Amino acid sequence: MMSAVAEDLEAELSCAVCLDVYKDPRLLTCGHNFCHTCLLRVWENQDANLQRYSCPECRTVFEDYPATQRNIKLSNIIERIQATFPEGLKTEVCANHGKPWEFFCKEHKTCLCRSCLEEHKTHQYQLLEDAKAASSRLASDRAKLREQVIQLFNGIQETLNVEKETVLALVDNEKETSLTLLETVIGQLKRHGQAAVRNLSKGICEKLRQEKSTLMEPPRLIQQKTVSSTTLKPSVLPKPIRSLTLKPSTHFTLDPNTAHCNISISDDLLSAQWVASPLPHPAHPERFRLHPQVLCGQGLSRGEHTWQVEVGGTRRWEVGVTCKSRDQAWVDSCISWALRWDGRRLQVFEGHKRYSNPKLSTIKQAPALIQVHLDCGQKTLSFLTAEEGLLHRLSINASGPVFPGFYLEESFVKIRKQEIIQKPIIT
């Protein structure tokens, strides 16, 4: 059986393109490493006419063909670890059955041998080689998309610069024009210009979301509704949800007026899920515009409140709380305080500030049931699971009532009618 240490080392020493342990690792100036052959394959698939190349992981663009450097120290580390764990770092061999991996389960994002396949035969799966090829194609396609978006916005910027010079020349020439009239024109430019940019950005994002499923969908052997994933990271089957002591708490329901156009709300207002095609939600000043998010309708400012939600999906979800500011800027912002699963790990965020702890670092599988405990008096927000207990506790400084909220990307959430597992022990 592969040790936990070997599994962690294997995850850290895996190429982001082929998802195997590095072979002849090459270091880019942005700090990321890749197999030499993987880099060559990705760059060969990028548009040669653009004469631009990018990092497959962070998308840093290089104007000239990057001169890669062999990472000698990383190569030596891999050789030493392979000698220490001769079985653990043979990434093509199943640790449970000792057989070669031949398939990839999309639902649980894990590699399978023929023995493992019996437990996953009802899931959506594909040949391992097809999954690896799809991952490589996806990295190349994403780089092409990034270049197209950069070119588009560069063109927009050039157009705006031309228009700016035209308007400035008009202001300079019309010396007799009253200051009030000029201020009116400038105000109109501000309003219409910002609205045009927002609408254009929203249209591009919606178009990319519509195309995402086609772009990301690799060849498959079984047709199911599960959204595909190209992450080839081994994992284990989900643990059963454990029932814990419940007692009454605040009854929460989702607010449809806040739901992003890619979020579908159930009739009972207790469930939400991400959908690929934008929905015709009516316009509302509190509707999220940039991020696939939705809030509950109940704002909390006093007392203690605990709620329980079921979460799942193949990509990213967040559970947390946020404030509504008077200037409505919050509709373009992420949830203020949140627990995030990004497909690989759990993290806690306060705005853009990221938190982690040893317990979060050991969780390699997304929990299916989350409890959130808000203590308005102590100004704390806690996240718990039945299996792990307290995951993390945040100190929050809210300027007004906070609303439970969710971020859903190829994911879903369901609010339980009885929301409390037991009040977390304050440590």
Side-chain angles (χ1 to χ4, degrees):
M1 180 73 67
M2 182 188 296
S3 69
V5 174
E7 290 180 351
D8 290 341
L9 288 173
E10 180 178 331
E12 293 296 328
L13 299 176
S14 295
C15 171
V17 176
C18 67
L19 304 178
D20 278 338
V21 176
Y22 291 116
K23 301 178 182 67
D24 189 14
R26 298 301 175 104
L27 176 64
L28 299 181
T29 55
C30 60
H32 292 114
N33 291 278
F34 303 91
C35 300
H36 189 204
T37 55
C38 292
L39 273 180
L40 295 179
R41 185 168 61 251
V42 169
W43 287 340
E44 285 174 0
N45 291 330
Q46 291 182 359
D47 193 344
N49 296 326
L50 294 176
Q51 294 298 312
R52 284 187 176 184
Y53 305 91
S54 61
C55 169
E57 187 161 347
C58 68
R59 314 302 172 201
T60 297
V61 176
F62 308 102
E63 295 296 337
D64 300 318
Y65 193 91
T68 62
Q69 182 178 2
R70 187 170 186 266
N71 194 328
I72 299 176
K73 183 171 289 293
L74 181 59
S75 298
N76 294 338
I77 291 173
I78 292 174
E79 291 177 1
R80 294 287 300 272
I81 292 176
Q82 286 176 331
T84 306
F85 302 99
E87 298 298 326
L89 291 178
K90 291 180 180 178
T91 58
E92 298 295 334
V93 177
C94 174
N96 295 323
H97 304 104
K99 297 180 181 180
W101 284 341
E102 299 182 42
F103 305 96
F104 175 64
C105 176
K106 298 180 182 179
E107 183 169 339
H108 295 109
K109 295 178 288 186
T110 184
C111 299
L112 310 171
C113 68
R114 289 194 175 273
S115 298
C116 296
L117 187 61
E118 290 299 315
E119 301 175 4
H120 297 256
K121 59 185 178 181
T122 60
H123 302 160
Q124 186 184 23
Y125 67 93
Q126 64 182 141
L127 292 174
L128 183 58
E129 292 303 318
D130 290 343
K132 290 182 178 180
S135 177
S136 179
R137 289 196 303 271
L138 178 59
S140 176
D141 290 342
R142 280 176 172 168
K144 291 180 181 179
L145 275 178
R146 190 177 189 279
E147 292 297 334
Q148 293 172 6
V149 171
I150 290 175
Q151 285 187 331
L152 173 61
F153 278 92
N154 285 343
I156 293 173
Q157 186 62 51
E158 291 177 4
T159 302
L160 290 175
N161 289 337
V162 172
E163 293 299 322
K164 180 184 71 174
E165 295 301 325
T166 301
V167 174
L168 289 177
L170 178 63
V171 171
D172 293 337
N173 294 333
E174 296 294 334
K175 297 180 180 179
E176 302 301 324
T177 303
S178 68
L179 180 61
T180 303
L181 178 58
L182 287 176
E183 290 177 344
T184 302
V185 173
I186 291 172
Q188 292 175 348
L189 286 174
K190 283 183 178 179
R191 290 194 298 273
H192 295 298
Q194 291 173 356
V197 171
R198 282 197 300 266
N199 291 335
L200 175 61
S201 179
K202 180 179 178 181
I204 292 173
C205 292
E206 290 179 355
K207 183 63 176 176
L208 288 176
R209 291 191 190 100
Q210 293 172 5
E211 297 294 334
K212 184 189 295 184
S213 58
T214 302
L215 171 66
M216 297 182 62
E217 186 72 18
R220 55 188 182 185
L221 302 181
I222 296 179
Q223 298 288 337
Q224 290 185 353
K225 294 184 179 180
T226 305
V227 180
S228 65
S229 171
T230 56
T231 303
L232 302 179
K233 185 174 179 181
S235 61
V236 295
L237 291 174
K239 300 176 182 178
I241 298 176
R242 198 169 62 188
S243 298
L244 297 181
T245 304
L246 302 177
K247 60 182 180 181
S249 182
T250 306
H251 179 63
F252 293 97
T253 54
L254 299 170
D255 181 1
N257 290 328
T258 65
H260 184 269
C261 62
N262 287 99
I263 299 295
S264 174
I265 306 295
S266 63
D267 293 338
D268 61 4
L269 304 182
L270 295 178
S271 300
Q273 66 176 0
W274 182 90
V275 293
S277 300
L279 299 173
H281 292 324
H284 195 279
E286 293 194 343
R287 189 173 307 285
F288 283 106
R289 296 179 294 197
L290 298 182
H291 305 286
Q293 300 177 147
V294 62
L295 299 184
C296 289
Q298 295 73 29
L300 310 173
S301 57
R302 294 184 179 182
E304 295 185 47
H305 307 270
T306 306
W307 58 100
Q308 198 176 1
V309 296
E310 299 176 20
V311 286
T314 59
R315 198 161 179 84
R316 170 180 160 186
W317 52 255
E318 293 181 15
V319 175
V321 298
T322 199
C323 289
K324 296 181 179 180
S325 57
R326 294 182 180 179
D327 60 3
Q328 296 296 315
W330 61 271
V331 299
D332 293 329
S333 303
C334 293
I335 295 173
S336 301
W337 300 275
L339 175 71
R340 174 191 295 180
W341 173 259
D342 62 4
R344 298 181 301 169
R345 58 187 173 181
L346 277 177
Q347 300 176 90
V348 174
F349 282 83
E350 179 181 1
H352 295 291
K353 186 176 182 180
R354 180 172 57 187
Y355 295 91
S356 186
N357 60 47
K359 180 173 288 187
L360 290 177
S361 302
T362 60
I363 298 175
K364 305 299 183 183
Q365 178 184 337
L369 182 64
I370 300 292
Q371 173 187 296
V372 186
H373 179 79
L374 173 67
D375 189 331
C376 298
Q378 297 293 326
K379 296 183 178 181
T380 60
L381 181 70
S382 304
F383 300 100
L384 305 93
T385 65
E387 294 81 9
E388 303 293 340
L390 180 63
L391 299 178
H392 197 89
R393 179 176 295 109
L394 281 171
S395 295
I396 66 174
N397 185 18
S399 58
V402 296
F403 295 77
F406 311 97
Y407 178 106
L408 304 173
E409 184 178 358
E410 299 181 18
S411 301
F412 68 88
V413 67
K414 180 180 180 181
I415 304 173
R416 287 200 167 184
K417 292 184 178 180
Q418 291 179 302
E419 292 88 1
I420 204 166
I421 298 179
Q422 279 200 351
K423 181 179 176 181
I425 300 174
I426 304 298
T427 57

